C-alpha cells in the first residue's frame, strides 16, 4: 500500500468513527445493542451488545459469492502457430477457458473494548476465534484445434474443493453517530488461521487418434494463512 493511501485511510477512519457506547445525549437513553451491516470491501452482518460501559461482545458473520462463467471467464488464452504439411500451411489453435464458482461464509464470536467512548464517537479494538467454510468448483476446458484434419484434442478438468478454516481474528475501528438510531463505522481486520482442504479432481481428455482418458483423484491439503483486510465501511442500526 502506498504512503498516500495510508494517510487517506487514516483520514477516512478518523472521519467515520463508530460508537460502541449506546448513549443519546438528548435523553440519556441507553441503547444496549445494535446491528451492523458492511457492504464496502466485504459483505457482513454483526450483532453487538454491551457488557459494561466500555466492554462489549459481538457475533460476526461474513459471506462472499463469486461466479465466473461463459464469456466472463477468468482465464482465456488464445495462441496460434502454423507449419507446412504437404505444401499446406496447417494452423494450430489453442484455447483455455476456466469457469469458477466460489462460496465463502465465516463466523466469529468476538469480544471488544472501547479505547475512546464519547457520546458521538468511539474507537474500539477486539478479537476472538474465527471459523470459515469455503466451497469452490472449477471447470477448466482446454481445446487444441488442427485445421488440416478438422479435428481437435481437448481436456476437461473438474475440481471440487471443500475448505475448513480455524484461527484467530483481531479488529480495530472507529464509529460515529448520524442520529439517534443510526451510526456509520469503519474497521480493519487481521486474521491468522489454518485451512484443511478436501480436493476432488475429475479429468476427461481426448488425445490423438481419438484416444480417451479418464482420471479421478482425491487428496487433502493443509495451509496456513495471514490476512490483513482492507477498510470495511458500513452502517449500524441501534436496537
Amino acid at each position: 500500500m502506498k504512503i498516500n493511501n495510508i494517510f487517506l485511510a487514516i483520514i477516512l477512519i478518523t472521519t467515520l468513527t463508530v460508537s460502541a457506547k449506546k448513549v443519546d445525549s438528548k435523553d440519556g437513553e441507553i441503547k444496549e445493542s445494535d446491528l451492523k451491516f458492511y457492504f464496502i470491501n466485504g459483505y457482513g452482518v454483526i450483532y453487538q451488545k454491551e457488557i459494561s460501559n466500555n466492554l462489549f461482545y459481538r457475533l460476526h458473520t461474513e459471506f462472499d459469492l463469486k461466479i465466473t462463467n461463459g464469456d466472463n471467464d477468468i482465464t482465456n488464452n488464445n495462441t496460434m502457430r502454423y507449419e507446412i504439411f504437404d505444401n499446406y500451411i496447417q494452423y494450430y489453435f489453442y484455447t483455455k477457458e476456466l469457469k469458477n464458482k466460489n462460496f465463502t461464509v465465516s463466523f466469529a464470536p468476538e469480544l471488544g473494548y472501547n479505547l475512546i467512548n464519547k457520546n458521538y464517537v468511539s474507537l474500539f479494538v477486539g478479537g476472538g476465534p474465527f471459523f470459515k467454510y469455503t466451497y469452490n468448483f472449477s471447470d477448466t476446458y482446454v481445446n487444441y484445434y488442427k485445421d488440416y484434419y478438422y479435428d481437435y484434442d481437448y481436456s476437461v478438468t473438474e475440481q471440487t474443493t471443500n475448505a475448513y478454516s480455524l484461527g484467530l481474528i483481531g479488529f480495530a475501528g472507529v464509529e460515529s453517530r448520524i442520529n439517534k438510531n443510526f451510526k456509520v463505522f469503519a474497521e480493519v481486520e487481521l486474521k491468522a488461521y489454518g485451512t484443511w482442504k478436501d480436493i476432488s479432481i475429475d479429468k476427461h481428455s481426448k488425445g490423438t487418434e481419438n484416444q480417451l482418458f479418464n482420471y479421478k483423484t482425491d487428496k487433502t491439503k493443509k495451509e496456513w494463512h495471514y490476512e490483513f483486510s482492507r477498510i470495511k465501511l458500513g452502517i449500524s442500526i441501534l436496537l
Side-chain angles (χ1 to χ4, degrees):
M1 181 181 289
K2 297 181 179 179
I3 298 298
N4 58 342
N5 290 335
I6 296 177
F7 283 116
L8 179 61
I10 294 174
I11 295 173
L12 184 59
I13 293 178
T14 305
T15 304
L16 300 175
T17 43
V18 157
S19 163
K21 172 72 175 173
K22 299 24 175 217
V23 177
D24 189 288
S25 61
K26 294 182 179 180
D27 55 18
E29 180 185 358
I30 297 178
K31 302 289 187 179
E32 295 185 347
S33 62
D34 60 356
L35 197 61
K36 303 174 183 288
F37 301 89
Y38 59 86
F39 39 83
I40 297 179
N41 292 330
Y43 299 95
V45 179
I46 301 171
Y47 173 75
Q48 181 171 309
K49 187 174 179 62
E50 282 189 351
I51 298 175
S52 64
N53 187 39
N54 288 313
L55 193 65
F56 60 88
Y57 75 86
R58 64 187 207 172
L59 303 177
H60 180 184
T61 300
E62 184 173 85
F63 49 89
D64 184 45
L65 176 63
K66 294 179 181 178
I67 298 178
T68 304
N69 198 358
D71 295 334
N72 297 319
D73 52 13
I74 296 175
T75 304
N76 189 358
N77 298 319
N78 295 279
T79 61
M80 182 180 69
R81 67 182 179 87
Y82 70 91
E83 64 183 30
I84 299 177
F85 180 79
D86 290 340
N87 295 321
Y88 176 80
I89 298 178
Q90 176 165 292
Y91 289 92
Y92 295 80
F93 300 90
Y94 171 83
T95 62
K96 180 179 180 181
E97 181 176 303
L98 172 63
K99 300 178 181 179
N100 189 74
K101 297 178 182 178
N102 190 85
F103 171 74
T104 300
V105 61
S106 64
F107 176 76
E110 301 167 337
L111 190 65
Y113 183 79
N114 293 313
L115 300 175
I116 298 175
N117 190 12
K118 302 298 182 180
N119 282 349
Y120 282 89
V121 175
S122 69
L123 172 66
F124 56 89
V125 296
F130 165 77
F131 173 77
K132 180 172 71 172
Y133 168 73
T134 300
Y135 170 82
N136 179 268
F137 175 80
S138 63
D139 184 359
T140 305
Y141 177 78
V142 178
N143 179 34
Y144 187 54
Y145 176 75
K146 298 168 289 186
D147 74 329
Y148 182 76
Y149 294 108
Y150 298 98
D151 194 10
Y152 64 91
D153 303 335
Y154 70 89
S155 67
V156 179
T157 304
E158 296 180 347
Q159 178 172 311
T160 303
T161 302
N162 289 282
Y164 308 88
S165 302
L166 182 64
L168 296 174
I169 181 173
F171 62 89
V174 287
E175 195 170 43
S176 179
R177 184 187 297 273
I178 300 175
N179 55 37
K180 181 178 178 180
N181 298 311
F182 295 96
K183 299 176 292 182
V184 292
F185 70 94
E187 67 177 62
V188 293
E189 298 172 348
L190 177 62
K191 299 175 182 176
Y193 57 94
T195 299
W196 294 262
K197 293 182 177 180
D198 294 325
I199 303 172
S200 177
I201 301 174
D202 192 2
K203 184 174 182 179
H204 310 277
S205 62
K206 182 181 79 69
T208 57
E209 299 179 356
N210 289 322
Q211 293 176 312
L212 299 177
F213 302 92
N214 293 305
Y215 170 79
K216 187 171 184 178
T217 184
D218 297 311
K219 61 181 180 179
T220 59
K221 188 177 181 181
K222 184 177 181 180
E223 301 174 342
W224 291 98
H225 301 271
Y226 303 92
E227 295 180 4
F228 187 75
S229 74
R230 293 182 293 176
I231 301 172
K232 301 178 185 295
L233 303 177
I235 189 169
S236 297
I237 303 174
L238 281 74
L239 303 178

